[in-house]
Amino acid sequence: VLAPEGVLRTSGFLLVGTDSAIKLQVNKSMGLTQVDQTAFPAVAMAAAEKEAKDAAAMLPRAAPARSTYAYQFANMPYTLDIGADDITTSCSVDERMVLSLEDSELSFRASLEVDVKDAPAREIVVETDPDPAWTVTSITGKNVSEADADVREKDGRRVINIPFKKAVTGVTLVEIHMERTLKNDTRSFQAPRFKVVEAKSERGYLVVASGKGIRLKTDKATGLREVHTGSAPMKVAGAQQAFRYKEPGWVISLSVERVFPSVHSEVFHLVSLSEGTMYCSAAITYHIGGAPAQEFKVHVPKEIETVEFTGADIEGWTRSGETCTVRLQTKIIGDYTLLLTYDRPFDPVKADIPVAGIETMETESEMGYVALASSASLSIEEAQPLPSTMFKIDRGEIPGEYSA
């Protein structure tokens, strides 16, 4: 106890506390009267400016933030016996999980709302699936030191250490993203294990989603209760199932059922004849349902040596014999129009000219129209009877989108 010398009587205040994760417990006190903390003087006179009468000389008094006790004493000496115990950090975690399959890419996103209590936390530790096929692609959060996050294997487990930029208390958000690639013939898979180490409580929702043309069915679910997808607190595109859990250690296995696209086509053939040259175009409209498609095959007779394809988002096309394969940059569903053009010479005096030889392949049905146009100096006749699947119509019966 600090006691001034050469004075008759000493009185004052005493404030005891801590700024760290330590809990103080008063075991014994003598000569002290405990008072409300608000009674403790909030300012102190600057030593170098005792004589100053200006209010600016009054400086804020530093005060501890935790385990605070305030006392008043009327004389000295006094006695105060204090015990100190470490306070351990406790946290509860509210989780939002999304497991999504798009084509062959499996994605797992975990959004963690971590509520830190009792003492500040400088990091959290997550234990997840040790399967090397799963790759941790990102760890983000407002208070997360992303560059210092560490992923390592330990005793057959994968441990993710996620440090914070500074010690945090209260609620903080952490986002973890993992990915893996499935083989095209994969029929089932399991969600990665996920657990926040030493969390006091851990609960949340899991939403299972997929891209168009893929159905996911639950083979096995442990520690999960299925709920309606609309009751989950997050909106997920392509959500098929939703689950709720109240503790970690849940397990879910899912089977994959791929739906093949149903494609119907409509082709408008336009043949224009001039002196010695035939200019042809085939506007192919694909009607795609059930599942998205990314590739189309077109039969082009070998007599047509040079063709061109035009359409939105074409990545490229190849030709093998009489089969041309056109690949798009992304999968599409709905309607898509592909334009094929070519020209070829013919004898302007007399020639048999085959038309409408362009056909779509691997479609469930094909229908269309053939329109012929020529200069006034050319006479066009049918060299052979029309097949049973084709009949002649009036020009006015051509749909408006083609007649223009």
Side-chain angles (χ1 to χ4, degrees):
V1 176
L2 298 176
E5 296 182 351
V7 295
L8 297 177
R9 184 171 175 271
T10 301
S11 63
F13 294 86
L14 174 66
L15 184 65
V16 180
T18 178
D19 288 324
S20 61
I22 297 176
K23 182 179 181 181
L24 300 181
Q25 181 67 42
V26 177
N27 298 324
K28 180 181 179 181
S29 65
M30 294 180 61
L32 294 169
T33 301
Q34 188 170 2
V35 296
D36 190 272
Q37 187 176 342
T38 57
F40 190 83
V43 295
M45 182 69 71
E49 301 182 80
K50 285 185 179 180
E51 305 300 326
K53 296 181 181 180
D54 193 340
M58 305 300 286
L59 301 179
R61 185 191 298 274
R66 305 168 69 88
S67 299
T68 305
Y69 300 90
Y71 298 92
Q72 185 176 7
F73 56 90
N75 205 347
M76 297 185 72
Y78 59 81
T79 301
L80 183 64
D81 183 9
I82 299 176
D85 294 322
D86 286 335
I87 300 178
T88 58
T89 301
S90 67
C91 69
S92 57
V93 187
D94 195 8
E95 301 172 343
R96 306 286 184 266
M97 309 287 195
V98 178
L99 182 64
S100 176
L101 177 61
E102 188 76 33
D103 292 337
S104 296
E105 298 300 321
L106 189 57
S107 169
F108 180 77
R109 293 183 179 274
S111 177
L112 313 181
E113 188 178 281
V114 184
D115 188 5
V116 181
K117 298 179 180 179
D118 297 334
R122 297 191 176 275
E123 70 171 10
I124 63 170
V125 179
V126 173
E127 183 179 314
T128 186
D129 206 297
D131 187 348
W134 282 103
T135 302
V136 179
T137 56
S138 67
I139 302 172
T140 58
K142 180 179 179 180
N143 296 312
V144 173
S145 181
E146 300 172 16
D148 297 323
D150 181 45
V151 182
R152 63 180 62 188
E153 304 294 330
K154 182 179 180 182
D155 299 331
R157 301 171 299 149
R158 177 179 291 182
V159 177
I160 308 174
N161 290 282
I162 306 174
F164 298 122
K165 297 174 183 177
K166 59 180 181 179
V168 299
T169 56
V171 177
T172 189
L173 299 178
V174 178
E175 299 274 350
I176 301 174
H177 184 206
M178 300 170 60
E179 293 180 347
R180 68 173 293 186
T181 300
L182 300 179
K183 296 181 179 179
N184 292 331
D185 59 351
T186 298
R187 292 291 177 264
S188 63
F189 63 88
Q190 184 171 304
R193 297 200 305 269
F194 194 92
K195 177 185 178 182
V196 179
V197 178
E198 296 182 357
K200 186 176 181 181
S201 67
E202 187 175 350
R203 59 181 61 193
Y205 289 84
L206 169 69
V207 174
V208 176
S210 71
K212 294 180 179 179
I214 300 176
R215 295 194 188 101
L216 299 177
K217 296 183 178 180
T218 304
D219 288 338
K220 177 184 177 182
T222 304
L224 296 167
R225 180 170 64 88
E226 187 168 6
V227 297
H228 192 276
T229 54
S231 67
M234 62 284 201
K235 302 301 180 184
V236 181
Q240 295 191 9
Q241 299 176 66
F243 302 88
R244 189 174 183 181
Y245 56 92
K246 295 185 177 181
E247 57 184 22
W250 52 267
V251 176
I252 184 170
S253 298
L254 299 159
S255 60
V256 182
E257 181 181 326
R258 297 186 183 273
V259 180
F260 294 98
S262 172
V263 182
H264 300 265
S265 64
E266 182 175 296
V267 186
F268 178 69
H269 301 268
L270 177 60
V271 181
S272 299
L273 302 177
S274 65
E275 296 293 335
T277 305
M278 178 176 65
Y279 300 95
C280 301
S281 66
I284 307 172
T285 301
Y286 290 97
H287 304 287
I288 309 163
Q294 191 174 6
E295 190 175 271
F296 304 108
K297 291 185 178 181
V298 181
H299 174 265
V300 180
K302 61 182 179 180
E303 293 82 9
I304 303 174
E305 297 180 357
T306 304
V307 295
E308 292 185 6
F309 288 96
T310 305
D313 301 324
I314 292 180
E315 183 178 88
W317 64 276
T318 59
R319 181 171 183 173
S320 176
E322 295 187 334
T323 301
C324 291
T325 303
V326 181
R327 184 173 179 81
L328 307 182
Q329 295 176 7
T330 58
K331 288 190 174 184
I332 60 169
I333 193 169
D335 292 345
Y336 179 81
T337 300
L338 180 66
L339 179 64
L340 181 154
T341 58
Y342 65 93
D343 59 70
R344 56 185 300 186
F346 67 94
D347 185 351
V349 178
K350 185 176 182 181
D352 289 342
I353 304 172
V355 297
I358 304 300
E359 298 177 353
T360 58
M361 303 174 64
E362 299 180 359
T363 57
E364 296 190 18
S365 68
E366 178 184 326
M367 62 169 291
Y369 302 87
V370 179
L372 301 176
S374 69
S375 61
S377 61
L378 294 177
S379 175
I380 302 174
E381 296 179 355
E382 298 171 8
Q384 299 177 0
L386 295 176
S388 60
T389 57
M390 180 180 290
F391 54 92
K392 194 172 183 177
I393 63 173
D394 187 81
R395 178 178 178 179
E397 296 181 60
I398 298 177
E401 60 267 27
Y402 298 135
S403 60

